[in-house]
Short mmCIF file of all heavy atoms in Angstrom, two decimals:
data_model
loop_
_atom_site.label_atom_id
_atom_site.label_comp_id
_atom_site.label_asym_id
_atom_site.label_seq_id
_atom_site.Cartn_x
_atom_site.Cartn_y
_atom_site.Cartn_z
N GLY C 1426 -11.79 -14.96 24.23
CA GLY C 1426 -11.95 -16.24 23.45
C GLY C 1426 -12.30 -17.41 24.36
O GLY C 1426 -12.80 -18.47 23.93
N LEU C 1427 -11.89 -17.32 25.63
CA LEU C 1427 -12.18 -18.34 26.63
C LEU C 1427 -13.69 -18.68 26.68
O LEU C 1427 -14.11 -19.74 27.11
CB LEU C 1427 -11.68 -17.97 28.07
CG LEU C 1427 -10.08 -18.00 28.22
CD1 LEU C 1427 -9.80 -17.46 29.62
CD2 LEU C 1427 -9.53 -19.49 28.07
N ALA C 1428 -14.45 -17.65 26.39
CA ALA C 1428 -15.93 -17.77 26.51
C ALA C 1428 -16.34 -18.83 25.55
O ALA C 1428 -17.55 -19.42 25.86
CB ALA C 1428 -16.54 -16.50 26.17
N ILE C 1429 -15.55 -19.16 24.55
CA ILE C 1429 -16.03 -20.22 23.62
C ILE C 1429 -16.10 -21.60 24.38
O ILE C 1429 -17.01 -22.33 24.13
CB ILE C 1429 -14.94 -20.49 22.48
CG1 ILE C 1429 -15.11 -19.30 21.44
CG2 ILE C 1429 -15.11 -21.73 21.83
CD1 ILE C 1429 -14.36 -19.41 20.18
N GLU C 1430 -15.23 -21.68 25.35
CA GLU C 1430 -15.12 -22.96 26.10
C GLU C 1430 -16.22 -22.92 27.21
O GLU C 1430 -16.25 -23.85 28.05
CB GLU C 1430 -13.79 -23.24 26.63
CG GLU C 1430 -12.74 -23.48 25.66
CD GLU C 1430 -11.35 -23.17 26.07
OE1 GLU C 1430 -11.12 -23.25 27.29
OE2 GLU C 1430 -10.44 -22.78 25.28
N GLY C 1431 -16.93 -21.86 27.32
CA GLY C 1431 -18.03 -21.82 28.24
C GLY C 1431 -17.71 -20.77 29.36
O GLY C 1431 -16.64 -20.20 29.45
N GLU C 1432 -18.83 -20.43 30.06
CA GLU C 1432 -18.80 -19.46 31.12
C GLU C 1432 -17.75 -19.76 32.16
O GLU C 1432 -17.04 -18.87 32.68
CB GLU C 1432 -20.16 -19.31 31.74
CG GLU C 1432 -20.62 -17.95 32.18
CD GLU C 1432 -22.02 -17.97 32.63
OE1 GLU C 1432 -22.93 -18.32 31.76
OE2 GLU C 1432 -22.26 -17.64 33.70
N ALA C 1433 -17.56 -21.02 32.52
CA ALA C 1433 -16.80 -21.39 33.63
C ALA C 1433 -15.27 -21.03 33.33
O ALA C 1433 -14.55 -20.51 34.23
CB ALA C 1433 -16.81 -22.83 33.90
N ALA C 1434 -14.86 -21.24 32.13
CA ALA C 1434 -13.42 -20.92 31.75
C ALA C 1434 -13.22 -19.46 31.97
O ALA C 1434 -12.08 -19.06 32.45
CB ALA C 1434 -13.15 -21.35 30.31
N LEU C 1435 -14.12 -18.61 31.40
CA LEU C 1435 -13.93 -17.18 31.46
C LEU C 1435 -13.97 -16.68 32.96
O LEU C 1435 -13.14 -15.93 33.42
CB LEU C 1435 -15.00 -16.43 30.68
CG LEU C 1435 -14.91 -14.95 30.54
CD1 LEU C 1435 -13.59 -14.60 30.00
CD2 LEU C 1435 -16.15 -14.40 29.63
N ASP C 1436 -14.86 -17.32 33.72
CA ASP C 1436 -14.99 -16.93 35.12
C ASP C 1436 -13.75 -17.28 35.89
O ASP C 1436 -13.23 -16.47 36.74
CB ASP C 1436 -16.23 -17.63 35.77
CG ASP C 1436 -17.22 -16.62 36.05
OD1 ASP C 1436 -16.92 -15.46 36.23
OD2 ASP C 1436 -18.33 -17.06 36.27
N GLY C 1437 -13.13 -18.41 35.51
CA GLY C 1437 -11.85 -18.85 36.11
C GLY C 1437 -10.83 -17.73 35.93
O GLY C 1437 -10.02 -17.30 36.95
N PHE C 1438 -10.78 -17.16 34.77
CA PHE C 1438 -9.79 -16.06 34.57
C PHE C 1438 -10.25 -14.81 35.33
O PHE C 1438 -9.33 -14.13 35.90
CB PHE C 1438 -9.74 -15.75 33.03
CG PHE C 1438 -8.81 -14.59 32.78
CD1 PHE C 1438 -7.36 -14.83 32.67
CD2 PHE C 1438 -9.28 -13.29 32.54
CE1 PHE C 1438 -6.59 -13.69 32.45
CE2 PHE C 1438 -8.43 -12.27 32.33
CZ PHE C 1438 -7.13 -12.45 32.34
N LEU C 1439 -11.53 -14.49 35.29
CA LEU C 1439 -11.95 -13.19 35.90
C LEU C 1439 -11.70 -13.23 37.38
O LEU C 1439 -11.45 -12.27 37.98
CB LEU C 1439 -13.47 -12.93 35.59
CG LEU C 1439 -13.75 -12.68 34.13
CD1 LEU C 1439 -15.25 -12.52 33.88
CD2 LEU C 1439 -12.98 -11.35 33.69
N ARG C 1440 -11.78 -14.43 38.02
CA ARG C 1440 -11.39 -14.44 39.46
C ARG C 1440 -9.95 -14.08 39.70
O ARG C 1440 -9.67 -13.47 40.70
CB ARG C 1440 -11.65 -15.92 39.97
CG ARG C 1440 -13.03 -16.05 40.70
CD ARG C 1440 -13.07 -17.32 41.60
NE ARG C 1440 -12.84 -18.58 40.78
CZ ARG C 1440 -13.79 -19.06 40.07
NH1 ARG C 1440 -15.05 -18.52 39.97
NH2 ARG C 1440 -13.62 -20.21 39.36
N TRP C 1441 -9.08 -14.52 38.77
CA TRP C 1441 -7.68 -14.15 38.85
C TRP C 1441 -7.49 -12.56 38.86
O TRP C 1441 -6.66 -12.03 39.49
CB TRP C 1441 -6.99 -14.83 37.69
CG TRP C 1441 -5.50 -14.49 37.67
CD1 TRP C 1441 -4.60 -15.10 38.48
CD2 TRP C 1441 -4.77 -13.84 36.64
NE1 TRP C 1441 -3.34 -14.65 38.11
CE2 TRP C 1441 -3.47 -13.88 36.98
CE3 TRP C 1441 -5.22 -13.15 35.49
CZ2 TRP C 1441 -2.46 -13.20 36.23
CZ3 TRP C 1441 -4.22 -12.45 34.78
CH2 TRP C 1441 -2.89 -12.59 35.22
N THR C 1442 -8.47 -11.95 38.05
CA THR C 1442 -8.35 -10.47 38.01
C THR C 1442 -8.73 -9.73 39.23
O THR C 1442 -8.62 -8.59 39.32
CB THR C 1442 -9.12 -9.85 36.82
OG1 THR C 1442 -10.60 -10.12 37.17
CG2 THR C 1442 -8.84 -10.60 35.56
N GLU C 1443 -9.23 -10.52 40.21
CA GLU C 1443 -9.55 -9.84 41.56
C GLU C 1443 -8.29 -9.51 42.27
O GLU C 1443 -8.35 -8.69 43.23
CB GLU C 1443 -10.47 -10.77 42.35
CG GLU C 1443 -11.75 -11.12 41.82
CD GLU C 1443 -12.71 -9.93 41.75
OE1 GLU C 1443 -12.81 -9.23 42.84
OE2 GLU C 1443 -13.32 -9.69 40.68
N MET C 1444 -7.17 -10.11 41.90
CA MET C 1444 -5.88 -9.83 42.69
C MET C 1444 -5.58 -8.37 42.47
O MET C 1444 -5.68 -7.82 41.41
CB MET C 1444 -4.76 -10.80 42.17
CG MET C 1444 -4.92 -12.20 42.59
SD MET C 1444 -3.83 -13.28 41.54
CE MET C 1444 -2.29 -12.55 41.79
N PRO C 1445 -5.07 -7.75 43.56
CA PRO C 1445 -4.71 -6.36 43.52
C PRO C 1445 -3.64 -6.06 42.39
O PRO C 1445 -3.91 -4.96 41.70
CB PRO C 1445 -4.05 -6.09 44.89
CG PRO C 1445 -4.58 -7.19 45.78
CD PRO C 1445 -4.82 -8.33 44.93
N ILE C 1446 -2.70 -6.89 42.24
CA ILE C 1446 -1.67 -6.58 41.21
C ILE C 1446 -2.31 -6.51 39.85
O ILE C 1446 -1.92 -5.59 39.08
CB ILE C 1446 -0.48 -7.59 41.28
CG1 ILE C 1446 0.61 -7.28 40.41
CG2 ILE C 1446 -1.00 -9.01 41.13
CD1 ILE C 1446 1.63 -6.30 40.87
N VAL C 1447 -3.24 -7.38 39.50
CA VAL C 1447 -3.86 -7.44 38.30
C VAL C 1447 -4.71 -6.17 38.14
O VAL C 1447 -4.90 -5.52 37.05
CB VAL C 1447 -4.72 -8.73 38.10
CG1 VAL C 1447 -5.23 -8.67 36.67
CG2 VAL C 1447 -3.75 -9.96 38.30
N LYS C 1448 -5.29 -5.77 39.20
CA LYS C 1448 -6.16 -4.56 39.28
C LYS C 1448 -5.42 -3.29 38.84
O LYS C 1448 -5.84 -2.48 38.07
CB LYS C 1448 -6.83 -4.34 40.65
CG LYS C 1448 -8.06 -5.13 40.95
CD LYS C 1448 -9.33 -4.30 40.92
CE LYS C 1448 -10.55 -5.06 41.14
NZ LYS C 1448 -10.98 -5.87 39.97
N ILE C 1449 -4.21 -3.27 39.46
CA ILE C 1449 -3.29 -2.13 39.17
C ILE C 1449 -2.97 -2.08 37.63
O ILE C 1449 -3.04 -1.11 36.93
CB ILE C 1449 -2.04 -2.11 40.01
CG1 ILE C 1449 -2.43 -1.79 41.44
CG2 ILE C 1449 -1.05 -1.08 39.51
CD1 ILE C 1449 -1.33 -2.08 42.46
N ALA C 1450 -2.69 -3.31 37.18
CA ALA C 1450 -2.30 -3.34 35.72
C ALA C 1450 -3.46 -3.02 34.83
O ALA C 1450 -3.26 -2.37 33.81
CB ALA C 1450 -1.87 -4.82 35.42
N GLU C 1451 -4.68 -3.39 35.23
CA GLU C 1451 -5.83 -3.01 34.44
C GLU C 1451 -6.02 -1.55 34.42
O GLU C 1451 -6.40 -0.89 33.49
CB GLU C 1451 -7.05 -3.66 35.05
CG GLU C 1451 -7.13 -5.19 34.66
CD GLU C 1451 -8.25 -5.89 35.45
OE1 GLU C 1451 -8.76 -5.36 36.41
OE2 GLU C 1451 -8.57 -7.02 35.00
N THR C 1452 -5.84 -0.96 35.58
CA THR C 1452 -5.97 0.59 35.71
C THR C 1452 -4.98 1.19 34.75
O THR C 1452 -5.31 2.11 34.01
CB THR C 1452 -5.67 1.01 37.12
OG1 THR C 1452 -6.34 0.28 38.02
CG2 THR C 1452 -5.91 2.48 37.37
N GLY C 1453 -3.81 0.62 34.74
CA GLY C 1453 -2.78 1.19 33.75
C GLY C 1453 -3.19 1.06 32.32
O GLY C 1453 -3.10 1.94 31.45
N LEU C 1454 -3.94 -0.07 31.97
CA LEU C 1454 -4.38 -0.26 30.63
C LEU C 1454 -5.46 0.76 30.18
O LEU C 1454 -5.49 1.28 29.08
CB LEU C 1454 -5.07 -1.63 30.48
CG LEU C 1454 -4.05 -2.75 30.22
CD1 LEU C 1454 -4.74 -4.07 30.35
CD2 LEU C 1454 -3.37 -2.55 28.91
N VAL C 1455 -6.39 0.99 31.19
CA VAL C 1455 -7.47 2.09 30.87
C VAL C 1455 -6.72 3.48 30.72
O VAL C 1455 -7.09 4.23 29.82
CB VAL C 1455 -8.48 2.19 32.02
CG1 VAL C 1455 -9.41 3.26 31.82
CG2 VAL C 1455 -9.28 0.82 32.10
N PHE C 1456 -5.72 3.66 31.58
CA PHE C 1456 -4.97 4.89 31.45
C PHE C 1456 -4.30 4.94 29.99
O PHE C 1456 -4.41 5.97 29.28
CB PHE C 1456 -3.91 4.96 32.53
CG PHE C 1456 -2.97 6.16 32.38
CD1 PHE C 1456 -3.46 7.45 32.70
CD2 PHE C 1456 -1.61 6.00 31.97
CE1 PHE C 1456 -2.61 8.47 32.66
CE2 PHE C 1456 -0.80 7.14 31.88
CZ PHE C 1456 -1.29 8.38 32.24
N LEU C 1457 -3.72 3.87 29.54
CA LEU C 1457 -2.99 3.87 28.23
C LEU C 1457 -4.00 4.13 27.10
O LEU C 1457 -3.76 4.90 26.23
CB LEU C 1457 -2.45 2.49 28.01
CG LEU C 1457 -1.14 2.17 28.75
CD1 LEU C 1457 -0.69 0.69 28.46
CD2 LEU C 1457 -0.05 3.05 28.36
N LEU C 1458 -5.19 3.52 27.29
CA LEU C 1458 -6.23 3.66 26.32
C LEU C 1458 -6.67 5.08 26.24
O LEU C 1458 -6.79 5.63 25.10
CB LEU C 1458 -7.45 2.77 26.65
CG LEU C 1458 -8.40 2.52 25.46
CD1 LEU C 1458 -7.75 1.85 24.29
CD2 LEU C 1458 -9.52 1.58 26.03
N ALA C 1459 -6.89 5.75 27.40
CA ALA C 1459 -7.31 7.09 27.32
C ALA C 1459 -6.26 8.05 26.87
O ALA C 1459 -6.47 8.92 26.10
CB ALA C 1459 -7.67 7.55 28.86
N VAL C 1460 -5.02 7.81 27.25
CA VAL C 1460 -3.97 8.64 26.81
C VAL C 1460 -3.75 8.56 25.27
O VAL C 1460 -3.57 9.48 24.61
CB VAL C 1460 -2.65 8.18 27.47
CG1 VAL C 1460 -1.36 8.60 26.72
CG2 VAL C 1460 -2.52 8.71 28.91
N HIS C 1461 -3.79 7.33 24.76
CA HIS C 1461 -3.62 7.05 23.43
C HIS C 1461 -4.80 7.72 22.52
O HIS C 1461 -4.49 8.37 21.54
CB HIS C 1461 -3.50 5.60 23.02
CG HIS C 1461 -3.11 5.30 21.72
ND1 HIS C 1461 -1.71 5.44 21.27
CD2 HIS C 1461 -3.70 4.93 20.53
CE1 HIS C 1461 -1.53 5.13 19.94
NE2 HIS C 1461 -2.74 4.74 19.58
N MET C 1462 -5.98 7.64 23.11
CA MET C 1462 -7.09 8.09 22.38
C MET C 1462 -6.93 9.70 22.36
O MET C 1462 -7.23 10.28 21.31
CB MET C 1462 -8.43 7.72 23.14
CG MET C 1462 -9.62 8.08 22.40
SD MET C 1462 -11.06 7.90 23.42
CE MET C 1462 -10.97 9.40 24.47
N LEU C 1463 -6.65 10.29 23.48
CA LEU C 1463 -6.51 11.75 23.46
C LEU C 1463 -5.40 12.24 22.63
O LEU C 1463 -5.50 13.31 21.98
CB LEU C 1463 -6.51 12.24 24.94
CG LEU C 1463 -7.85 12.00 25.69
CD1 LEU C 1463 -7.73 12.05 27.14
CD2 LEU C 1463 -8.86 13.07 25.21
N GLY C 1464 -4.32 11.45 22.71
CA GLY C 1464 -3.18 11.84 21.87
C GLY C 1464 -3.52 11.78 20.38
O GLY C 1464 -3.11 12.62 19.55
N GLY C 1465 -4.28 10.78 20.14
CA GLY C 1465 -4.77 10.60 18.71
C GLY C 1465 -5.72 11.78 18.28
O GLY C 1465 -5.59 12.24 17.21
N LEU C 1466 -6.49 12.17 19.20
CA LEU C 1466 -7.37 13.34 18.92
C LEU C 1466 -6.60 14.54 18.67
O LEU C 1466 -6.91 15.34 17.79
CB LEU C 1466 -8.32 13.49 20.24
CG LEU C 1466 -9.56 14.34 20.10
CD1 LEU C 1466 -10.47 13.81 19.04
CD2 LEU C 1466 -10.30 14.51 21.42
#
Side-chain angles (χ1 to χ4, degrees):
Chain C
L1427 287 175
I1429 282 188
E1430 295 156 29
E1432 217 174 295
L1435 186 57
D1436 249 340
F1438 175 82
L1439 290 178
R1440 259 197 301 284
W1441 181 69
T1442 65
E1443 296 291 314
M1444 286 162 60
I1446 181 87
V1447 182
K1448 279 252 180 285
I1449 292 171
E1451 284 170 346
T1452 311
L1454 277 171
V1455 173
F1456 176 73
L1457 287 178
L1458 198 58
V1460 157
H1461 192 74
M1462 188 192 77
L1463 290 161
L1466 195 59

